[in-house]
Amino acid sequence: MSLEEEEKELKKVEELAEEIKKMKSRLETREKHHFYVQRKLEKELEKYFSELFSEIKKYAPIICEKIEKISGVKVNDEKAFMIIKEYFDSSIHVIIHEIAHSVLNEILGEKDPEKRLALSEILARFLERVVSSELMKEKPSRLITVESLEKQFEELQGYSVFRKTNFTVNDYKKLFEMFTAYLAEGKLKENMGKIEKEILSVLKL
């Protein structure tokens, strides 16, 4: 990889870093709302992202060079940049989904592993959709993804627990309506028992 190519790639990685810095900046906005991060998390993110961007800028060109040397195939800088960009573009979506799973793990009452898995995967997507929709209205960004219920249902088919049921996309949509109705009544934690019961009843697990 020539010096000119390396400089070109570094410039693109810097542009990506700048885009994610904007995302971090939004996290740093202090607002009195229960969905937003707290001060301790802001500080941790600031430190983490600073180190992360520095490492990416340093290693991305080296990685390309090593892969070229080992494979004998020149790495396309545009493709390399798009791969990195695609990875980080999905970061907010992944963060919402995984934090949702973390919270659900604390409040789910079901003990059976298979039933618990089904509940967790459905409810994490419901919670993800609600949070993403609110963020898109309050803080619009191209990095926020609000998946359709059809898309979420398709994702669930990757789990064997759903493939062995007669669970349909219409069932999924009705359960989401039920979920949002319970949210309108109060906190998710307060209604979790009822929600679990209704979902398992539809799944017939």
Side-chain angles (χ1 to χ4, degrees), residues 104-112 116 119 192-193 196:
L104 288 166
N105 188 52
E106 295 184 19
I107 60 178
L108 278 171
E110 180 59 54
K111 302 300 182 183
D112 178 80
R116 190 177 178 89
L119 289 168
M192 183 54 69
E196 289 184 43

Side-chain angles (χ1 to χ4, degrees), residues 6-20 52-61 77 80-81 84 88:
E6 182 174 330
E7 289 176 346
K8 182 179 178 182
E9 185 170 4
L10 280 172
K11 182 179 179 181
K12 290 181 178 179
V13 173
E14 287 173 352
E15 290 174 352
L16 175 61
E18 183 62 29
E19 183 67 32
I20 301 179
L52 176 65
F53 297 150
S54 177
E55 294 297 282
I56 290 173
K57 288 171 64 178
K58 178 172 67 176
Y59 283 106
D77 288 348
F81 172 74
I84 297 171
F88 284 103

Side-chain angles (χ1 to χ4, degrees), residues 19-51:
E19 183 67 32
I20 301 179
K21 280 176 67 179
K22 292 178 182 178
M23 178 185 74
K24 181 174 73 69
S25 179
R26 285 191 288 273
L27 289 175
E28 292 173 345
T29 301
R30 302 287 300 190
E31 293 194 39
K32 295 180 179 180
H33 192 289
H34 66 279
F35 279 130
Y36 290 96
V37 294
Q38 296 177 352
R39 182 63 181 177
K40 182 178 179 180
L41 179 55
E42 291 175 7
K43 289 182 177 180
E44 293 295 331
L45 286 173
E46 183 175 0
K47 178 182 177 182
Y48 171 73
F49 281 127
S50 177
E51 295 174 350

